[in-house]
């Protein structure tokens, strides 16, 4: 339960003075509708309103704040003309200009004969000073509220910077004084201000330097957010590790048989990670290991051998995939091998229904099924294992920490192996998993040819089609990928269909279309036809990202490549790297291409090293966007920016380790302050819930 001291921060912004229901709605669109959301919404720029020259020697086009006397009102003669107000600062005249403003309100705010401070952009027109729609008009005694440095916030229609400044000011007043949660020595060495000071300073930048992620107040806030993240993960891990595991150390017979059936030898990298995994399984700790391996590095067989170790010990194993297609693909690879060695693998997805499902669940409970393959349908309550000892999560970033723990609870201290295909830079591994044990298949099977990747503008389409016709005549199969993103789903889908129709003119019946809006059955049919080779060219929205394995496909055209994340492009390209023939990937862009996009696409041309691609992408795009989707299961940070605050992350990581080693239940005075930190950054859901505090 959230500590009382935080209640005002998690209240609706409507609890702030001056924030009505309209403003609440707008803010919820801009940054969120809680006070804390407003506090995390930091300025990105500033306006200096301290320049206050005499008009006679003022510079034009500057933001100025002037003390002027109101001389005369000139209402418009027609509705097209502005309302003018003539004033003077004693050295020269200034004309204030208002379009479409109520005359009454002007008369009220600028009464003739009185003095006002006006602040805005000073312009010169026909030799006369003018200012249209001053940003501020205040009485002389309120000058101080205007004539300083004004923070500038990211805005949305309907919320002006002036309003936002006012709201943030109100929000800052609700922030309680927190007990320091950082270690005193660290605080001294880092020169960080307190959290309260840092938040205040970040909302009151005085120079451009203060807006940078390197400023001390911003660093302090980033550190706090990262520490909350690392501490939460450390607590989860501490909890999982505390439960002792079971020793899984099979006799190796099933594994030997499977290895004999394979047409290839394991790579050195596969052998190495298996050794690491087996050691975990055999220990009396519970395994919690992340297996990273690039597309095509051969994770499936590693998963199977891991599960077989459990089956050799008379227990069950499960593997969970993020999509139906992927679960089916696992089934297609795993089931025949299992059949050969006399054990049973079954698949359970959302499509398993009725009698089939009932029967399957019974057999599962009786222990007649050794390996269960499925989607998140495995989470459902009535899925009960006889004795689940090994869980593999093939996640591709689609599961959150929470879901992962959910499945492991179905087991009896089950070991957990999380597999991920998108190479994740170390920084993100740390923020998503803390320091889960970590194995990396850093080698793809020998003999695979590099992909010839080219970047070209879409206007080369005619040449591309001719080249593609030649390739297909020579027996190649090709993907044609069109982007489909949620925000512009309709127009994207239309574009994909229209591309399909264009290609039909050239390729006739040999071209097929598959997209997310089709029925499962239709999708399967098209995919099957492409797999069997009756279709040669497959136009697809990004569904094939996690789609089937077609070794014969050696060409991939990606339209609007500039709209994809690099990690995604890498995944897509991985689809044509499966065969042993040279393959070609064309990245088509819609000109003109921004400097940044060009740099990104060039990285794809330069390297096939998924880790390098991910690191570069992180540099160019920042962490949150890297994985393309918001349901990535990766924490997104409000205050930390991983492309700048990497070092802070490593420090926070170490800090969290030390905290948990010394005070696992957060009971010391510092521990209690840290609990507030966890709640402040909303890490309570998965840290504090499974680690109830006393
Ligand atoms: P991913 O890591 O992307 O899941 P897969 O497990 O699907 O990769 O393997 C990709 C392809 O490589 C499969 O066709 C698989 O049979 C094959 N493969 C796996 N390991 C090896 C190996 N050591 N040598 C040759 N081919 C292998
Ligand atoms: Mg795989």
């Amino acid at each position: 339960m959230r500590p009382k001291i935080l209640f005002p921060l998690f209240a609706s912004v409507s609890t702030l003075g001056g924030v009505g229901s309209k403003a609440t709605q707008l803010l919820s669109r801009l940054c969120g509708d809680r006070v804390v959301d407003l506090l995390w919404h930091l300025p990105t720029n500033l306006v200096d309103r301290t320049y206050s020259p005499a008009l006679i020697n003022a510079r034009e086009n500057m933001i100025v704040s002037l003390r002027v006397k109101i001389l005369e009102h000139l209402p418009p003669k027609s509705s097209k003309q502005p309302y003018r107000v003539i004033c003077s600062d004693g050295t020269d005249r200034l004309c204030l200009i208002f379009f479409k403003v109520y005359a009454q309100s002007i008369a009220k705010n600028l009464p003739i004969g009185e003095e006002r401070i006006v602040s805005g952009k000073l312009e010169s027109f026909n030799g006369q000073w003018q200012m249209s729609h001053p940003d501020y008009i205040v009485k002389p005694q309120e000058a101080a509220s205007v004539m300083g440095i004004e923070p500038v916030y990211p805005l949305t229609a309907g919320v002006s910077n002036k309003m936002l400044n006012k709201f943030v000011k109100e929000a800052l007043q609700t922030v309680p004084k927190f007990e320091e949660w950082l270690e005193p020595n660290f605080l001294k060495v880092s020169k960080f201000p307190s959290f309260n000071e840092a938040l205040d300073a970040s909302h009151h930048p005085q120079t451009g330097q203060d807006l940078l992620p390197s400023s001390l107040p911003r660093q302090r806030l980033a550190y706090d957010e990262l520490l909350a993240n690392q501490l939460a993960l450390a607590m989860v891990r501490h909890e999982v590790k505390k439960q002792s595991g079971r020793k899984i150390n099979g006799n190796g017979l099933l594994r030997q048989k499977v290895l004999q059936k394979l047409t290839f030898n394991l790579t050195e990298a596969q052998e190495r990670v298996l050794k690491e995994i087996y050691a975990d399984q055999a220990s009396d700790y519970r395994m919690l290991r992340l297996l990273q391996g690039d597309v095509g590095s051969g994770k499936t067989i590693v998963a199977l051998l891991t599960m077989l170790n459990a089956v050799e010990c008379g227990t069950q194993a499960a593997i969970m995939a993020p999509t139906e297609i992927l679960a089916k693909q696992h089934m297609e690879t795993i089931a025949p091998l299992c059949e050969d060695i006399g054990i049973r693998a079954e698949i359970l997805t959302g499509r398993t229904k009725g009698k089939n499902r009932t029967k399957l669940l019974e057999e599962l409970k009786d222990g007649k099924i050794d390996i269960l393959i499925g989607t998140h349908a495995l989470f459902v309550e009535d899925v009960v294992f006889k004795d689940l000892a090994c869980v593999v999560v093939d996640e591709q970033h689609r599961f959150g920490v929470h879901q992962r723990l959910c499945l492991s609870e179905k087991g009896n201290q089950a070991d957990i192996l999380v597999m991920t295909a998108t190479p994740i830079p170390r920084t993100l591994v740390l923020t998503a998993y803390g320091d889960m044990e970590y194995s990396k298949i850093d080698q793809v099977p020998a003999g695979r040819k590099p992909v010839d990747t080219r970047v070209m503008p879409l206007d080369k389409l005619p040449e591309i089609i001719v080249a593609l016709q030649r390739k297909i005549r020579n027996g190649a199969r090709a993907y044609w990928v069109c982007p489909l993103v949620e925000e512009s789903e309709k127009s994207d889908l239309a574009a994909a269909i229209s591309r399909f129709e264009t290609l039909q003119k050239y390729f006739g019946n040999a071209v097929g279309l598959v997209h997310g809006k089709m029925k499962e059955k239709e999708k399967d049919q098209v995919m099957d036809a492409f797999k069997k080779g009756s279709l040669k060219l497959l136009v697809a929205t990004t569904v094939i990202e996690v789609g089937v394995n077609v070794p014969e496909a050696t060409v991939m055209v990606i339209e609007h490549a500039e709209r994809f994340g690099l990690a995604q492009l890498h995944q897509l390209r991985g689809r044509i790297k499966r065969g042993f023939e040279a393959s070609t990937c064309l990245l088509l862009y819609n000109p003109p291409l921004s400097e940044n996009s060009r740099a990104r696409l060039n990285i794809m041309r330069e390297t096939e090293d998924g880790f390098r691609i991910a690191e570069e992408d992180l540099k160019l795009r920042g962490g949150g966007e890297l994985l393309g989707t918001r349901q990535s299961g990766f924490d997104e940070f409000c205050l930390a920016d991983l492309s700048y605050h990497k070092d802070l992350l490593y420090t926070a990581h170490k800090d969290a380790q030390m905290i948990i080693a010394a005070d696992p239940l957060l009971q010391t005075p510092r521990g209690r302050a840290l609990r507030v930190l966890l709640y402040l950054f909303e890490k309570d859901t998965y840290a504090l819930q499974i680690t109830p505090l006393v």
Side-chain angles (χ1 to χ4, degrees), residues 299-300 326 329-330 394 396 419 421 578:
K299 291 185 294 298
T300 316
L326 204 59
Q329 192 185 312
H330 282 321
D394 187 0
Q396 319 220 347
M419 304 200 298
R578 309 226 141 193

Side-chain angles (χ1 to χ4, degrees), residues 264-267 270 294-301 329 445 448 549 578:
F264 51 79
N265 294 320
L266 295 182
T267 62
Q270 283 168 320
D294 215 342
V295 206
S297 62
K299 291 185 294 298
T300 316
I301 186 70
Q329 192 185 312
R448 300 216 178 131
N549 197 357
R578 309 226 141 193

Side-chain angles (χ1 to χ4, degrees), residues 70-338:
I70 320 302
L71 302 179
E72 195 181 353
H73 281 215
L74 302 171
K77 296 210 175 67
S78 78
S79 64
K80 289 218 175 94
Q81 283 183 350
Y83 194 113
R84 291 166 208 270
V85 176
I86 308 295
C87 358
S88 164
D89 74 337
T91 70
D92 204 349
R93 287 179 154 226
L94 170 69
C95 178
L96 305 178
I97 297 188
F98 300 91
F99 288 90
K100 291 188 183 161
V101 174
Y102 288 115
Q104 277 167 340
S105 75
I106 296 181
K108 189 170 144 242
N109 288 333
L110 295 161
I112 293 174
E114 289 197 17
E115 286 192 327
R116 288 291 181 269
I117 307 285
V118 295
S119 184
K121 191 167 170 199
L122 183 67
E123 289 169 317
S124 163
F125 185 73
N126 282 344
Q128 199 186 38
W129 291 120
Q130 68 174 35
M131 183 186 290
S132 56
H133 294 269
D135 301 325
Y136 291 92
I137 300 174
V138 299
K139 294 183 181 154
Q141 60 266 34
E142 293 160 17
S145 71
V146 169
M147 294 178 66
I149 310 272
E150 183 187 34
V152 176
Y153 291 92
L155 299 174
T156 183
V159 182
S160 70
N161 197 50
K162 193 166 152 184
M163 284 160 77
L164 207 59
N165 266 287
K166 202 167 137 265
F167 298 160
V168 169
K169 202 168 150 199
E170 293 279 336
L172 282 170
Q173 273 162 16
T174 68
V175 181
K177 174 93 191 67
F178 291 113
E179 294 293 324
E180 183 55 68
W181 46 67
L182 295 187
E183 205 264 320
N185 271 331
F186 172 66
L187 202 58
K188 218 196 265 154
V189 173
S190 64
K191 302 203 173 69
F192 285 169
S194 72
F195 172 83
N196 292 73
E197 289 163 346
L199 190 60
D200 215 63
S202 296
H203 281 290
H204 295 104
Q206 296 302 305
T207 66
Q209 297 285 327
D210 296 343
L211 296 164
L212 301 178
S214 54
S215 79
L216 283 174
R218 295 259 179 149
Q219 284 201 46
R220 160 83 211 225
L221 296 181
Y223 188 78
D224 286 340
E225 187 174 33
L226 293 167
L227 181 61
N229 160 275
Q230 288 301 299
L231 190 56
L233 290 165
M235 289 172 83
V236 172
R237 183 182 134 98
H238 182 78
E239 187 58 25
V240 172
K241 284 269 164 175
K242 215 170 62 187
Q243 308 159 5
S244 57
R246 40 206 292 196
K247 296 185 182 183
I248 294 292
N249 193 7
N251 58 16
L253 288 180
L254 293 175
R255 283 172 280 172
Q256 244 170 38
K257 279 197 224 162
V258 158
L259 288 174
Q260 279 161 11
K261 298 273 172 207
L262 295 179
T263 53
F264 51 79
N265 294 320
L266 295 182
T267 62
E268 268 169 47
Q270 283 168 320
E271 302 262 19
R272 195 191 59 241
V273 304
L274 277 167
K275 236 186 181 162
E276 290 162 0
I277 292 169
Y278 294 154
D280 275 356
Q281 288 181 305
S283 82
D284 47 14
Y285 288 113
R286 194 169 169 191
M287 170 162 83
L288 186 59
R289 182 173 285 275
L290 176 69
L291 173 61
Q292 273 203 295
D294 215 342
V295 206
S297 62
K299 291 185 294 298
T300 316
I301 186 70
V302 172
L304 178 61
L305 291 166
T306 303
M307 294 192 287
L308 288 178
N309 189 12
V311 175
E312 284 167 8
C313 296
T315 66
Q316 293 166 298
I319 177 167
M320 180 167 74
T323 63
E324 176 116 28
I325 292 184
L326 204 59
K328 264 190 348 211
Q329 192 185 312
H330 282 321
M331 184 66 189
E332 281 164 25
T333 335
I334 291 174
L337 287 167
C338 288

